[in-house]
Amino acid sequence: MPETATTEKTAEKAGDAKPLEDQQFVTRHSVTIGGERIDYTAKAGRMVLHDGEEQATPKVALFYTAYLRDGVESRRDRPLVFLWNGGPGSSAIWLHMFSLGPRRVVFEGDPLFDTSRWELRENEHSLLDVADLVFLDPPSTGFSRVAPGEDVEQFHGVEADAAVVGDFVVEFVNRERRGDSPIVLLGESYGTLRTPAVTDYLQGLPGFYVDGVVLVSSLMDVAGASFGVGTALGAIGMLPSYAATALYHGVVAGELEPLVAEAEDFALNDYSVALLKGSRLTDSEQDRIAKRMAELTGLSPDLVRGSNLRVTLWRYVKALLRDRRRTVGRLDTRWTGIDSDIVGETFENDPSMTMIWGPATRAFNRYVREDLGFEADPGLAYRMMIPFPKWKPRETEQNGIWSPQLETATQLRTSMNRAPHLKVLLQSGYYDLGTPYFPAEMTFDHLYLEPERARNVTTKRYESGHMIYLHEPSLARMKADLTVYLATLRNAQ
């Protein structure tokens, strides 16, 4: 990937060659939520962060959009929520345009079948009635850029990313005089790896303790979606979502919650033992496991056994509906796609991603300029997503044992042990194979939290995929669950 890296670095320096300056464009708006008309102030801008010594050299300008409710007598009981998406390499456009902001893209029909007709409307499910919101684009994404002459790769790693995002949080809170508000970090996808790292970073030298962590479509430990030799967590964790997907498409029969409960029980018991045994399994054991997997997932026993009982998500999305000449999505398996042939090993694109790119991009670029008044320099394009050919992982050490896997779950455990008041909300979709719900929940099982800390973790599931909010009933539930969760933070102040 060196060619990609060169192209990205050149584009970065050429696209923002002027010295970085703070920018902020302030506009005022209203939105109706729960029948109440709410006035709010929007602040769209770029905040310049400097080096860590004398704070003299500009390093990076981070683009953000903040929504602050007007007429609030005291901010002490009003949470301030920072939101970011994942990738790494993704802007916050998905959370911003589809979920909790005061405006969202609404499709005329069911987005599972048609995303061509849409409009930007007031968002009745916005979180703005109960919290102020700050959507953040990490370095190199959105309108965020590093300073001229700076190496973009200095920010492309777990720890460096957490530091720059954490510094932004502290600076924004200080500039807005929100130090007495409950502070919440909400991440989606890779954002759920970022959020624990930021939480841990803030508790370090900044000495800044946040009050809440929200993990949307979480993967704090990438082993939960891995199929490599020596790990069984991916195969175990995917199985319940395979079952949910097969049920949704009518390949197997039953009810959602009982079926996934059966799949979870099988995954944790017979299936996990079978995977541990590997080639020590007898033929009759392999046949029994393959038959049960086929019953749960809708695949053929021959395919399951031919895959050594480890059906990767790439094989599953291609194989499940092969007889219908369709694929299913990775981020949301309710979506179906069409490939140029039916015999390939995996799909040619993820329909649950590609079908929503266009509306998100077109809506945001109009909205940020016309409604929010943001004036970008000529040539400064909004980067919805950008591939990072290199991303430096975090080197983890637990009890003196070094682990090369990418995980930040242990950082969250450390942060929870330091801060007894810190509360965590985990929100997952049944039809998500990018960050499947079962490994996300099992990650907490493996943190061995003490009972008083474990009580601070709340888990919610939704009949949706990776972007939970694309299913409007799930968005409504997601908002309701967040409202209840945030109320517990206010009560703790």
Side-chain angles (χ1 to χ4, degrees):
M1 304 274 288
E3 187 173 313
T4 305
T6 301
T7 302
E8 180 190 337
K9 191 177 295 186
T10 302
E12 180 95 340
K13 291 181 179 179
D16 204 10
K18 295 170 58 177
L20 301 182
E21 297 179 350
D22 274 0
Q23 294 175 286
Q24 189 177 86
F25 300 88
V26 180
T27 52
R28 288 178 171 78
H29 312 265
S30 297
V31 61
T32 299
I33 304 173
E36 180 185 7
R37 196 66 180 169
I38 294 172
D39 297 324
Y40 65 93
T41 297
K43 298 182 178 182
R46 298 207 299 171
M47 179 187 293
V48 178
L49 299 179
H50 300 74
D51 60 28
E53 297 298 327
E54 301 298 327
Q55 295 291 303
T57 305
K59 300 287 286 186
V60 63
L62 296 183
F63 177 75
Y64 63 93
T65 310
Y67 299 104
L68 312 171
R69 182 171 180 171
D70 297 334
V72 176
E73 292 185 7
S74 172
R75 301 286 178 180
R76 180 175 178 80
D77 294 326
R78 185 166 176 81
L80 180 64
V81 183
F82 293 86
L83 306 93
W84 41 71
N85 278 96
S90 175
S91 66
I93 194 170
W94 316 108
L95 284 167
H96 199 168
M97 287 289 94
F98 290 124
S99 69
L100 300 170
R103 298 287 187 274
R104 73 181 179 98
V105 172
V106 178
F107 296 99
E108 183 176 311
D110 189 336
L112 292 176
F113 305 103
D114 184 7
T115 58
S116 64
R117 297 185 300 277
W118 56 270
E119 63 178 312
L120 193 64
R121 298 181 188 167
E122 289 188 9
N123 184 9
E124 62 185 295
H125 306 298
S126 174
L127 201 60
L128 190 56
D129 57 335
V130 295
D132 292 331
L133 310 173
V134 184
F135 295 88
L136 174 66
D137 293 339
S140 302
T141 73
F143 289 127
S144 297
R145 298 290 189 274
V146 303
E150 292 288 339
D151 186 353
V152 299
E153 292 181 1
Q154 67 182 293
F155 299 108
H156 295 178
V158 176
E159 294 177 341
D161 174 88
V164 70
V165 171
D167 289 344
F168 171 87
V169 170
V170 173
E171 185 66 19
F172 187 92
V173 169
N174 289 339
R175 291 190 187 188
E176 293 291 327
R177 306 293 191 267
R178 296 297 295 272
D180 58 350
S181 296
I183 305 300
V184 180
L185 309 182
L186 186 154
E188 179 182 28
S189 195
Y190 179 85
T192 65
L193 277 154
R194 171 183 291 127
T195 298
V198 173
T199 304
D200 182 50
Y201 170 80
L202 289 174
Q203 289 183 349
L205 289 178
F208 189 101
Y209 281 52
V210 303
D211 303 281
V213 164
V214 180
L215 307 170
V216 178
S217 301
S218 179
L219 190 68
M220 290 192 295
D221 183 351
V222 297
S226 302
F227 287 85
V229 174
T231 177
L233 288 178
I236 294 168
M238 293 283 183
L239 188 63
S241 290
Y242 287 172
T245 301
L247 176 65
Y248 180 86
H249 291 288
V251 182
V252 302
E255 299 291 332
L256 179 60
E257 292 187 6
L259 179 65
V260 296
E262 287 182 39
E264 291 170 15
D265 181 70
F266 174 73
L268 289 176
N269 294 289
D270 292 2
Y271 185 45
S272 62
V273 173
L275 293 178
L276 183 62
K277 286 185 176 181
S279 59
R280 298 187 185 192
L281 283 173
T282 65
D283 285 345
S284 62
E285 287 176 318
Q286 289 187 53
D287 288 340
R288 179 176 62 84
I289 296 296
K291 179 176 182 294
R292 183 56 178 147
M293 282 187 67
E295 292 171 349
L296 290 168
T297 65
L299 301 174
S300 71
D302 287 343
L303 186 147
V304 173
R305 181 153 183 182
S307 302
N308 297 319
L309 308 181
R310 296 170 179 259
V311 180
T312 67
L313 72 94
W314 308 112
R315 183 166 292 170
Y316 186 82
V317 297
K318 183 72 173 183
L320 180 66
L321 302 182
R322 197 188 301 271
D323 61 343
R324 304 180 195 175
R325 304 185 66 87
R326 295 293 184 271
T327 63
V328 299
R330 168 179 171 259
L331 294 183
D332 193 325
T333 58
R334 297 172 304 148
W335 257 270
T336 59
I338 299 176
D339 283 352
S340 56
D341 68 61
I342 65 170
V343 296
E345 180 64 13
T346 187
F347 57 22
E348 295 172 3
N349 69 81
D350 183 354
S352 59
M353 174 61 82
T354 56
M355 287 179 66
I356 62 170
W357 276 43
T361 306
R362 291 169 61 185
F364 182 81
N365 277 288
R366 186 203 65 77
Y367 170 68
V368 72
R369 291 172 171 84
E370 295 182 16
D371 293 3
L372 302 184
F374 181 78
E375 298 177 6
D377 291 334
L380 183 63
Y382 190 83
R383 295 175 177 171
M384 180 175 61
M385 296 189 71
I386 185 169
F388 287 153
K390 297 179 181 179
W391 189 258
K392 186 176 180 181
R394 166 179 171 255
E395 296 183 356
T396 63
E397 184 175 322
Q398 301 178 42
N399 300 321
I401 301 173
W402 180 80
S403 172
Q405 75 192 60
L406 175 54
E407 65 83 16
T408 60
T410 52
Q411 287 180 289
L412 181 60
R413 177 183 63 195
T414 299
S415 295
M416 293 181 70
N417 285 338
R418 291 192 195 115
H421 72 289
L422 178 60
K423 294 188 178 180
V424 178
L425 174 62
L426 173 65
Q427 298 181 305
S428 306
Y430 283 112
Y431 306 113
D432 179 8
L433 296 183
T435 57
Y437 82 89
F438 196 41
E441 294 178 6
M442 285 195 296
T443 296
F444 282 96
D445 297 335
H446 294 170
L447 291 182
Y448 301 103
L449 295 170
E450 292 296 316
E452 60 269 32
R453 296 294 186 270
R455 284 193 290 270
N456 285 345
V457 179
T458 301
T459 299
K460 298 292 182 179
R461 301 176 182 177
Y462 305 88
E463 293 184 41
S464 190
H466 186 76
M467 298 182 187
I468 297 167
Y469 36 81
L470 290 178
H471 180 236
E472 186 159 358
S474 293
L475 173 57
R477 280 194 53 217
M478 181 182 177
K479 158 64 185 296
D481 292 335
L482 280 163
T483 300
V484 172
Y485 164 79
L486 292 175
T488 67
L489 302 185
R490 291 199 298 270
N491 292 337
Q493 291 297 305

